[in-house]
Amino acid sequence: MPEGDSVFRTARMLHSALAGQRLTTADLRVPAHATADLTGRQVLEVLPRGKHLLARFEGGLTLHTHQRMDGRWSTYGSSERWDGGPSWQIRAVLGNAGHTAVGYRLPVVELLRTEDEQRAVGHLGPDLLGPDWDAAEALERLSKDPGRPLVLALLDQRNLAGIGNVYANELCFLAGAAPWTPYGEVARPERTVALARRLLWLNRLRPGHTTTGDTRSDRRNWVYGRTGQPCRRCGTRIARSTAGDPPQDRVAFWCPRCQP
């Protein structure tokens, strides 16, 4: 599932291609909205909310989408060939005279009134990349379940929105805490929350989810995806397991020495 910084870049891409233009093509290929006609409406803006995307149109309508594990938005020029997958995987098409945005394999495609957006995203905690980011509220939400494993608390979008598996595991390492450490036992959790904001903000305009400061593809992360490789700090082999109960369990990477 894309991390919040990836969704931020997708929103930026869609906004650049669509905002301020009237739709000449609009096709929502899901049963609930197959007859909806957005043609002729101006796209006002496309913005991220955590891992969700909100495309707002004139007339008070919003297209809410979520990419989850397999979804993807791509944009194409008027003469470019669509190459994101076979046509039967397309769930949404929004186009104007110059660009077309195509949503492939989107598991969530919901057309709703803009005034009802909270119904889709109102459950989310403070958005790490949002203009209304509120660290104090995020900490308050996290503290309501002090016994919850840190990695799961960070992944819960109701606490703070935008963290996925990569950042959750990397933040545990940077906090010096094993993924299963109860949140209430983490020293200075406010530093972890502040670091989460800083990492996503620094990566919002570049791919790779860099947490080490080194953007080379094989040096970006401390522990995520590095099973069996030496820890960059102490040389201990990185371990891998899971956190949480199936089917909601999540992958966990950690250094047994740096994260006792």
Side-chain angles (χ1 to χ4, degrees), residues 37-153:
D37 186 7
L38 299 172
T39 305
R41 292 181 186 260
Q42 185 179 43
V43 179
L44 303 179
E45 60 182 339
V46 182
L47 67 160
R49 181 71 173 87
K51 298 182 183 182
H52 300 250
L53 285 164
L54 301 172
R56 293 173 177 164
F57 311 107
E58 67 175 347
L61 291 178
T62 294
L63 180 64
H64 164 232
T65 61
H66 196 300
Q67 299 173 92
R68 291 188 181 165
M69 294 297 293
D70 299 318
R72 170 188 169 189
W73 276 101
S74 297
T75 58
Y76 303 96
S78 57
S79 61
E80 287 185 281
R81 178 177 175 270
W82 301 358
D83 61 359
S87 60
W88 59 267
Q89 292 184 346
I90 296 174
R91 297 291 178 266
V93 180
L94 302 173
N96 52 45
H99 297 90
T100 301
V102 184
Y104 294 91
R105 301 171 296 280
L106 299 173
V108 176
V109 178
E110 179 184 21
L111 187 64
L112 66 160
R113 296 190 61 80
T114 301
E115 63 186 23
D116 295 331
E117 285 178 359
Q118 287 299 97
R119 180 167 59 82
V121 297
H123 66 288
L124 298 175
D127 186 346
L128 284 156
L129 293 177
D132 56 348
W133 163 245
D134 188 335
E137 183 183 347
L139 285 164
E140 181 179 352
R141 291 182 179 223
L142 286 162
S143 67
K144 289 180 179 179
D145 190 355
R148 195 174 193 188
L150 176 60
V151 70
L152 298 182

Side-chain angles (χ1 to χ4, degrees), residues 8-27:
F8 184 96
R9 289 193 299 277
T10 297
R12 184 183 175 94
M13 174 188 72
L14 293 174
H15 183 87
S16 177
L18 301 174
Q21 303 292 321
R22 295 195 178 276
L23 294 173
T24 56
T25 301
D27 185 8

Side-chain angles (χ1 to χ4, degrees), residues 7 66 100 106 112 192 238-239 254 256 259:
V7 177
H66 196 300
T100 301
L106 299 173
L112 66 160
T192 298
I238 300 300
W254 83 104
Q259 299 168 263

Side-chain angles (χ1 to χ4, degrees), residues 86 107 253 256:
F253 298 91

